[in-house]
Each structure stands twice: as C-alpha cells, then as structure tokens.
C-alpha cells in the first residue's frame, strides 16, 4: 500500500469535525511568535510539507512483526487522540480556555496526537528519513507550543496558570 493512504484518515479526522467557522478559525490561528519561535514556525511548516511529500514515495508492506504492530498502535492511537482533541477543541466553552475532555490530561493533546500519528507512519513505512522529519516536526512544534502557552497565560491569566500547574504540557 502506498504511504499516501495513511494521510487520508489523518486529514479526515483532523479537518472533518471543524465544520463551524469559529472552530476552523481558531484551529488556523497561531499564537504571536517572538525571536526564534518565528524560525521554528517556518521549520514546522516545512517539516509538515516534507511529511506530506515523503509519503507518496513510501510503502506500507510486510515487515517484521514488532515495527509493524508498534507503528499501527502509534498510528491508530494518534488518530483516536486527534479525534478526541478536535472534538474537545471544537466544542464551545465559556471564556475560550479548553480544559475539558482530553485537555484534562494534556495541555497540548493535538500536538501529541500528531506526533503519535506521524511516528506511526514512519514505523509503518520503515523510513528513517520520515522518522527524522517527524523529529524535526516535533522539536519545532515544541517552540510553537511555548508561544501558545505564553499567549494563553497573557489571555487567560490566573485561570491558565492554575490549569498549567495541574495539567502536563504533553502527557
């Protein structure tokens, strides 16, 4: 199977539930960036493009059992977490701060889901290059998360500080 087919469920889960204009606008918005965060933003965008460009040239096929099942587990858990994250993110909330659903377990469940899903794709295609791109994607994503968390602290004040003291950044 061509690796490109791995993107179809991901894109459907990632963008399908964002049917309201408000949710789509919030999902497309990045927090204001400072200094090195701007460079990280562009590395993040380029690594996203590289993920999408690599997959058509890769194949999912017979593999040793452990990498295949580990890849499938990562991929499917990433899709499930992404769906739960999008559902929680899309639901309206008073004041705008999302703290329910999977946001009770992680301040950034969407980013965690992307990493799991993309790492699963790298394992399923057995591609060291794709795994390297996933690592660059995740490291640059961390800088974007720092910008988002600074914006949340400025926007939501004490509510966000209380939330961030009780809920981990990732898992």
């Amino acid at each position: 199977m061509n690796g490109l087919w791995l993107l179809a469920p991901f894109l459907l889960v990632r963008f399908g539930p964002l049917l309201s204009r408000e949710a789509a606008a919030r999902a497309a918005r990045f927090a204001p960036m400072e200094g090195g965060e701007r460079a990280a933003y562009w590395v993040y965008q380029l690594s996203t493009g590289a993920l999408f460009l690599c997959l058509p040239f890769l194949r999912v096929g017979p593999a040793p059992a452990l990498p295949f099942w580990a890849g499938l587990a990562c991929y499917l858990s990433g899709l499930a977490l992404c769906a739960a994250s999008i559902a929680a993110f899309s639901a309206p909330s008073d004041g705008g701060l999302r703290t329910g659903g999977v946001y009770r377990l992680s301040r950034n469940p969407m980013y965690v889901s992307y990493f799991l899903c993309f790492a699963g794709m790298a394992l399923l295609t057995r591609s060291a290059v794709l795994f390297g791109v996933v690592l660059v994607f995740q490291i640059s994503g961390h800088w974007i998360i720092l910008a988002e968390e600074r914006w949340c602290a400025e926007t939501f004040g004490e509510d966000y500080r209380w939330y961030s003291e009780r809920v981990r950044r990732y898992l």
Side-chain angles (χ1 to χ4, degrees):
M1 172 178 87
N2 188 295
L4 186 60
W5 286 104
L6 296 171
L7 278 178
F10 171 76
L11 293 173
L12 187 63
V13 167
R14 173 61 182 93
F15 295 106
L18 294 173
L19 299 179
S20 78
R21 281 189 176 182
E22 177 197 341
R26 277 188 286 111
R29 186 184 173 293
F30 280 88
M33 308 277 169
E34 296 177 358
E37 295 164 351
R38 288 185 191 103
Y41 169 82
W42 288 108
V43 170
Y44 181 83
Q45 296 301 333
L46 291 171
S47 62
T48 301
L51 283 164
F52 283 50
L53 290 173
C54 283
L55 282 165
F57 299 101
L58 299 172
R59 297 200 51 76
V60 177
L66 183 60
F68 176 81
W69 291 111
L72 189 61
C74 281
Y75 178 71
L76 293 176
S77 62
L79 287 177
L81 181 58
C82 190
S85 301
I86 296 295
F89 183 83
S90 297
S93 77
D94 297 335
L97 182 61
R98 304 287 184 269
T99 59
V102 293
Y103 287 89
R104 289 176 296 152
L105 307 172
S106 170
R107 295 193 312 258
N108 300 285
M110 271 192 255
Y111 287 101
V112 173
S113 75
Y114 301 160
F115 177 72
L116 286 172
C117 202
F118 295 151
M121 290 178 189
L123 285 168
L124 286 168
T125 60
R126 298 173 319 281
S127 172
V129 170
L130 185 61
F131 193 73
V133 171
V134 170
L135 289 177
V136 169
F137 170 86
Q138 190 61 29
I139 291 166
S140 61
H142 176 74
W143 288 92
I144 292 169
I145 288 168
L146 295 177
E148 288 178 358
E149 289 183 346
R150 184 180 56 254
W151 179 84
C152 285
E154 292 167 2
T155 303
F156 302 113
E158 192 56 38
D159 288 341
Y160 184 76
R161 280 185 262 298
W162 182 87
Y163 171 66
S164 66
E165 288 173 3
R166 285 158 182 75
V167 177
R168 293 181 178 152
R169 178 175 287 143
Y170 297 111
L171 290 177

